[in-house]
Amino acid sequence: MYRILIVDDEFLVRLGLKTTIDWKKHGYQVVGEASNGQEALKMVDTLKPDIILVDIKMPSMDGLEFIAHARKITEHVSFIILTNYESFQYAKQAMQLGVSQYLLKSEINAEVLLEALESVCQGHEEKANRSHNVEWERMKYLSRNLSKGQINRSIAPERLEIPEEGMFPEEDYMVVKYYCNISTMTEQSINMLSKTMISLVESEYPGLTYCENLFQLHYYMTIIFPCGKDEDIYTRIIDKSQMIARKIKYYFDTVIRGGISEKRGASDIPRLLNQAEEARRRCFFGTEPFMVFDSGFQVYLKKMERVHVSGTKLSQMLSTGSFEEICAYVHDIFQVLRSQMNYSNVKHAFFDFLSSAKTYLEKLDEETSHILAKRFDYDNWDALTSVDEAEKYLCDAFEMLIQRNSENGSEYSISIRKSISFIEENYEKNITLQDVADYVSISKNYLSMLFKQETGINFVAYLNHYRIEKAKQLLTTTNMKIYEIADSIGFYSPYYFSKVFKEQTKMQCKEYRERFSVIEQGEAE
């Protein structure tokens, strides 16, 4: 049903318009009326009319001035001019303002008015269809170009499509590429994150086109938006981004980072996509969560030589089992990489380290090689979010390699061993992944990745498994009540404890106790 606003300084005209036709029967609703332009202007934003019937000559603010101001509030409303003056000049001015129809009051009747409204509505539908089609084409364009390579790869502009003429009609555009780690989120939380991000960016970036991607435990959102001629646009985009990051951190406990392109015309959108990715990569070095593309810095990066990683030196240190020497060598290399702030160089060095480890792995027994192969997979690079994590990952991996190759070696890295020790000492408390990460001095997301990689299950599953093993002991060696056992092992909800126990043992607590108890049972329920 189309919403109608009537604006005329004559009460009888307004009354006549409201009673000329059965509005509801024909698919219309009169949502308001006003006696002058100033009064009507206040209604445009609140009532959100689809069509406004407006007189040209009114006190305070005439019809043409009102239309000009109303256009600044919304572009989606249509106007039908009502006047007693057969003046071509007025009609010409009205048409320049985008007025759909021009009617003489003396000629208005039900048939004329309905014909004018039908014409306006048809234009509405055509405009809506065109708008929908253009938005759909923009989204397909963005999705298509992001799928030409993996989402976190820097694709040369010449390999991307230039948008068709008219697809992006504004003069200047910018691209922002947001991303965050989702390794600790459930599928439901990820869906909520997506909906929240869409809501936030749509409210902050009018006229945007966006594309979402999930890749290697990360969520990405790339947006293209018209930026106008604002000279302070970069500051405003960073302010918007920081606001979005604060809300996402509060609701989802994950950190949003991102890269911001320059502003250029529509034909340069492939270049802007490349720039946003290049700027995003600088976030890897942890200086700022949101980075603006800097062409001067890119020139500097191109002149920079790759850092050499000696496979021979690493092989010798691995053969002697010198973990301290390897860590010192990794650290020295990464100090140089930090000073360069070149994402590609860090990636190449990381791969060189893994390549040397793979070569060494081939010399070990088949079982050890199989267990460690996943740890030295090149795809692990895509799960890392900072240069510090990359260095830490390599040290943990090399330590694990040396440990597995020794007679008394552990199957876990020192980070996971410390995490498991923390769980064993604190399982009866309400501990979280963040508590363990703080104890081990690494990020929560990085610990989540290591935990799954080394133990084969996530942190919560491991903690619950350990707690249930303790529960089994208490069920079979004490007469503690079920709720007392739940409380003593860190389950503060007896119902949740019973649910997890049943999932792991396929038995109820009472059934397990009756079958395996080694003491005479008193009242234990």
Side-chain angles (χ1 to χ4, degrees):
M1 187 169 287
Y2 289 96
R3 298 164 64 82
I4 309 292
L5 175 64
I6 299 173
V7 187
D8 196 296
D9 61 327
E10 297 181 53
F11 170 74
L12 291 178
V13 173
R14 298 199 304 272
L15 181 62
L17 287 170
K18 287 194 294 183
T19 58
T20 295
I21 61 174
D22 184 342
W23 293 94
K24 189 174 182 180
K25 177 182 177 182
H26 292 88
Y28 304 102
Q29 177 189 7
V30 177
V31 294
E33 58 179 281
S35 60
N36 61 63
Q38 286 184 337
E39 184 183 346
L41 207 56
K42 297 174 183 177
M43 299 179 177
V44 172
D45 191 40
T46 55
L47 298 179
K48 301 189 184 325
D50 300 302
I51 303 170
I52 300 177
L53 307 177
V54 56
D55 187 15
I56 281 186
K57 287 294 185 178
M58 294 183 295
S60 301
M61 179 186 291
D62 67 26
L64 297 180
E65 187 180 357
F66 161 71
I67 292 170
H69 282 85
R71 280 281 183 226
K72 295 178 182 178
I73 298 174
T74 177
E75 297 180 356
H76 304 295
V77 66
S78 298
F79 298 92
I80 297 178
I81 284 287
L82 309 173
T83 185
N84 291 319
Y85 300 92
E86 299 182 68
S87 169
F88 176 74
Q89 186 59 36
Y90 279 122
K92 185 178 179 181
Q93 290 182 49
M95 294 307 174
Q96 288 174 343
L97 290 170
V99 171
S100 302
Q101 294 286 328
Y102 185 84
L103 300 179
L104 290 172
K105 291 182 180 180
S106 60
E107 297 178 355
I108 292 177
N109 57 37
E111 184 179 352
V112 170
L113 186 54
L114 283 172
E115 185 180 340
L117 289 168
E118 185 178 346
S119 175
V120 170
C121 291
Q122 185 177 353
H124 253 287
E125 292 174 4
E126 290 175 355
K127 183 176 180 181
N129 289 335
R130 286 197 302 270
S131 176
H132 176 75
N133 289 338
V134 169
E135 288 176 10
W136 179 247
E137 289 302 321
R138 288 177 182 177
M139 292 185 75
K140 285 201 299 183
Y141 166 82
L142 183 53
S143 177
R144 198 164 54 243
N145 279 276
L146 290 176
S147 66
K148 287 184 178 295
Q150 289 169 323
I151 184 65
N152 62 347
R153 299 290 190 266
S154 182
I155 306 169
E158 55 269 21
R159 289 180 53 202
L160 300 175
E161 299 174 35
I162 297 175
E164 294 180 7
E165 188 174 351
M167 183 182 289
F168 293 93
E170 302 291 339
E171 290 188 8
D172 288 315
Y173 286 86
M174 293 177 68
V175 172
V176 177
K177 193 169 187 178
Y178 293 122
Y179 73 108
C180 68
N181 189 290
I182 55 173
S183 61
T184 61
M185 293 187 190
T186 63
E187 184 177 350
Q188 183 179 10
S189 294
I190 295 170
N191 289 335
M192 284 301 299
L193 169 69
S194 168
K195 292 177 181 177
T196 304
M197 280 295 294
I198 291 171
S199 175
L200 289 171
V201 298
E202 284 184 339
S203 65
E204 293 297 323
Y205 299 98
L208 91 163
T209 300
Y210 68 87
C211 180
E212 298 175 286
N213 301 85
L214 298 179
F215 180 72
Q216 290 284 33
L217 305 179
H218 284 81
Y219 168 88
Y220 295 85
M221 175 179 275
T222 306
I223 65 175
I224 302 173
F225 59 95
C227 56
K229 298 296 182 182
D230 187 353
E231 294 299 323
D232 201 30
I233 187 66
Y234 298 108
T235 300
R236 289 203 303 109
I237 298 306
I238 289 176
D239 289 343
K240 290 174 185 283
S241 300
Q242 289 173 340
M243 181 278 293
I244 290 171
R246 284 194 299 271
K247 292 188 176 182
I248 294 299
K249 175 66 176 175
Y250 179 81
Y251 289 112
F252 300 97
D253 194 26
T254 191
V255 178
I256 288 284
R257 298 182 177 90
I260 303 166
S261 75
E262 298 176 326
K263 59 177 183 177
R264 289 174 176 262
S267 62
D268 276 324
I269 283 178
R271 186 173 300 280
L272 299 182
L273 289 168
N274 174 269
Q275 290 179 356
E277 169 60 19
E278 290 293 340
R280 185 193 73 82
R281 289 178 169 215
R282 288 190 65 192
C283 299
F284 193 77
F285 295 91
T287 52
E288 297 290 341
F290 302 102
M291 301 296 294
V292 176
F293 178 80
D294 181 348
S295 58
F297 186 76
Q298 296 307 116
V299 173
Y300 162 73
L301 290 181
K302 289 179 181 178
K303 297 178 180 179
M304 199 173 293
E305 294 184 2
R306 281 178 55 176
V307 177
H308 176 65
V309 175
S310 173
T312 303
K313 189 173 184 178
L314 269 173
S315 180
Q316 291 173 347
M317 288 186 283
L318 284 167
S319 297
T320 59
S322 180
F323 172 63
E324 290 77 12
E325 280 189 55
I326 292 176
C327 269
Y329 182 57
V330 170
H331 181 69
D332 289 344
I333 294 290
F334 270 76
Q335 285 296 87
V336 177
L337 293 169
R338 285 186 180 87
S339 67
Q340 291 183 338
M341 289 188 71
N342 188 321
Y343 180 92
S344 294
N345 281 4
V346 179
K347 182 178 178 179
H348 288 309
F350 186 86
F351 283 6
D352 286 346
F353 276 114
L354 293 189
S355 178
S356 297
K358 283 173 175 285
T359 301
Y360 184 78
L361 266 177
E362 293 173 358
K363 303 175 184 177
L364 303 181
D365 62 87
E366 186 175 340
E367 181 184 359
T368 300
S369 298
H370 177 72
I371 291 172
L372 291 174
K374 185 179 292 186
R375 192 61 194 268
F376 292 95
D377 194 310
Y378 295 130
D379 285 345
N380 291 323
W381 167 261
D382 294 314
L384 302 174
T385 59
S386 71
V387 66
D388 292 340
E389 281 187 4
E391 179 181 347
K392 177 67 175 171
Y393 186 94
L394 289 173
C395 287
D396 282 341
F398 279 119
E399 190 228 15
M400 197 173 174
L401 178 56
I402 291 172
Q403 289 284 345
R404 288 292 303 188
N405 197 33
S406 65
E407 291 185 6
N408 301 314
S410 168
E411 61 181 317
Y412 299 135
S413 66
I414 188 169
S415 294
I416 297 304
R417 292 204 306 274
K418 288 175 67 176
S419 298
I420 291 172
S421 175
F422 184 87
I423 290 172
E424 292 173 351
E425 293 171 8
N426 298 277
Y427 69 91
E428 75 283 359
K429 302 174 185 175
N430 186 26
I431 60 174
T432 65
L433 179 63
Q434 186 64 61
D435 295 328
V436 183
D438 291 341
Y439 175 75
V440 183
S441 299
I442 58 179
S443 77
K444 180 182 73 172
N445 293 326
Y446 178 69
L447 176 59
S448 175
M449 179 186 71
L450 283 190
F451 218 100
K452 182 68 180 290
Q453 199 175 74
E454 294 187 28
T455 67
I457 57 177
N458 63 32
F459 166 77
V460 172
Y462 188 96
L463 175 61
N464 283 345
H465 179 77
Y466 189 82
R467 285 170 168 169
I468 295 303
E469 289 302 310
K470 291 294 181 182
K472 289 178 181 178
Q473 295 176 16
L474 294 174
L475 283 168
T476 57
T477 59
T478 75
N479 283 325
M480 291 174 66
K481 298 179 186 292
I482 302 300
Y483 72 85
E484 291 174 335
I485 293 176
D487 188 65
S488 70
I489 61 173
F491 284 104
Y492 298 110
S493 165
Y495 170 78
Y496 181 58
F497 162 62
S498 298
K499 179 175 178 288
V500 175
F501 190 92
K502 177 71 180 296
E503 288 174 352
Q504 290 197 20
T505 65
K506 310 303 179 187
M507 286 186 277
Q508 300 286 355
C509 294
K510 183 178 180 180
E511 179 186 358
Y512 188 91
R513 169 172 265 163
E514 290 174 347
R515 183 177 298 186
F516 298 108
S517 180
V518 296
I519 63 171
E520 291 186 13
Q521 296 181 34
E523 186 180 353
E525 301 303 327

